[in-house]
Every structure is written in C-alpha cells, then in structure tokens.
Amino acid sequence: MAAAYGIPVPGSGDGAYEDEQCQAYTEIAKALGPDRPLVIRTLDVGGDKPLSYLPIAKEENPFLGERGVRVGLNRPEVLRTQLRAILRAASAGKYW
C-alpha cells in the first residue's frame, strides 16, 4: 500500500522552503520503509484552496480556472522548487 502526501506550502517559496520540503519527503519515505512507496502530489491550490502569498485572480468558476498543475505551469518557479525537493529526497525511499 502506498502513502500519498501533499505538503502544505509555507509563504516564502524560497530555497529554504525547498530544504523544508526535501526534509519532509525524506522523513516520510524513511518512516514508510523500503516496501511502501510514497506518492507526492504537486501543489494543488486555487478554487477552494487559496494562498495569501500566491494571489490568483478571482474567476467566475475557480474550479475550472487556474488551479492545481496550471498554477505550476503559469508559475514555473513554484513547480521547479517542489520538483527539486522531490528529486533530492528520492534516494531516501520508494516514490511513485
């Protein structure tokens, strides 16, 4: 059985945040052990999940607008930070 994890995103989005993500992913992967994979979702904000430091314009139907992966594609620095953290933590366990 796999464990799915979506890490909350602190406000800074800077290099220190990448370190925090990497540490969290590493600790969880180690706790799961070598036989249980960790599934990490990319940042899922927008719609009903606004972030005060990552403004997204109001939309008529926010669930169909800029949210989830579209936020990462429109703001590549956010997605890159998370992907770097995942790659750095990859040696700590099994990921899907």
Side-chain angles (χ1 to χ4, degrees):
M1 173 177 237
Y5 186 69
I7 189 169
V9 180
S12 66
D14 61 10
Y17 173 57
E18 180 180 329
D19 292 341
E20 292 172 26
Q21 285 186 81
C22 180
Q23 181 178 353
Y25 300 147
T26 299
E27 289 173 7
I28 295 165
K30 286 180 179 179
L32 289 171
D35 297 324
R36 294 181 59 206
L38 172 60
V39 177
I40 300 174
R41 299 185 327 241
T42 58
L43 178 66
D44 184 14
V45 297
D48 63 337
K49 302 173 191 163
L51 296 175
S52 60
Y53 63 88
L54 192 64
I56 297 174
K58 285 214 175 248
E59 300 173 273
E60 188 174 321
N61 188 342
F63 295 98
L64 297 176
E66 184 182 15
R67 65 170 294 149
V69 73
R70 287 185 292 258
V71 172
L73 295 174
N74 291 338
R75 302 158 196 246
E77 69 284 353
V78 173
L79 183 58
R80 280 190 207 115
T81 298
Q82 186 175 23
L83 294 176
R84 278 193 309 266
I86 292 167
L87 291 171
R88 287 175 48 202
S91 64
K94 187 176 187 179
Y95 292 81
W96 282 355

